[in-house]
Amino acid sequence: MDSMSKVKQFREERDWRQFHNEKDLALSISLEASELLEIYQWRTPEEGNEDLEHIKEELADVLIYSYMMADNLNLDIDDIIAEKLVKNAVKYPVEACLENNKKRRRNRK
C-alpha cells in the first residue's frame, strides 16, 4: 500500500475527513512546519540533526497533512511534483545554477 492510501485509510477509519477542510489543512501544514523549524532554533544544523526522531515525527506530520490536502483537492502528488520540477527546471537552469555555485564558493573563501 502506498503512502497516500495509508493516510486515506487512517483518516477514513476515524471518520476525520469531515474535519479536514483545505483551510485547516493548510494551517496545520504551516504549524507542523514551524514545529520542525523549532528543532533547529538556537542550534547549529549539526545540533538540530541530533534529534532525528523528533525531525522524523514533525516531517511526517507535514507530509501527512499535505497528502490529505492533495486528496481533498483530487491532486496526484506525483503529478504535481513532476509539474513543479518542470517549472523549476525552466526557472533554475542547470548551467546558471552551477555558475552561481562557483561564484558563491569563491566568495566564501
Side-chain angles (χ1 to χ4, degrees):
M1 185 182 303
D2 68 353
S3 294
M4 178 62 90
S5 298
K6 290 176 185 176
V7 169
K8 286 172 68 169
Q9 179 181 353
F10 184 89
R11 178 165 72 164
E12 288 168 8
E13 288 173 347
R14 288 153 182 81
D15 194 26
W16 285 352
R17 171 62 180 87
Q18 61 184 319
F19 306 114
H20 293 162
N21 64 68
E22 292 75 34
K23 176 196 69 82
D24 289 339
L25 290 170
L27 285 167
S28 294
I29 292 165
S30 179
L31 292 170
E32 295 298 341
S34 294
E35 290 180 20
L36 179 60
L37 281 170
E38 191 175 34
I39 295 168
Y40 292 96
Q41 185 178 22
W42 313 120
R43 298 177 181 168
T44 65
E46 295 77 19
E47 290 169 336
N49 288 346
E50 291 173 5
D51 198 356
L52 191 57
E53 191 60 34
H54 194 185
I55 292 168
K56 288 169 29 180
E57 290 175 9
E58 299 306 337
L59 186 56
D61 286 339
V62 170
L63 293 168
I64 289 167
Y65 282 122
S66 298
Y67 272 66
M68 287 191 281
M69 187 167 184
D71 182 56
N72 281 16
L73 297 169
N74 296 312
L75 300 173
D76 182 283
I77 295 280
D78 292 330
D79 289 346
I80 63 175
I81 289 173
E83 290 170 13
K84 183 62 176 174
L85 287 173
V86 168
K87 289 178 183 179
N88 284 350
V90 171
K91 189 174 181 180
Y92 306 106
V94 172
E95 297 78 20
C97 290
L98 293 177
E99 185 59 35
N100 285 338
N101 291 348
K102 287 178 188 175
K103 289 178 188 175
R104 282 184 179 156
R105 276 191 225 114
R106 282 193 298 261
N107 292 334
R108 285 186 188 178
K109 294 179 181 179

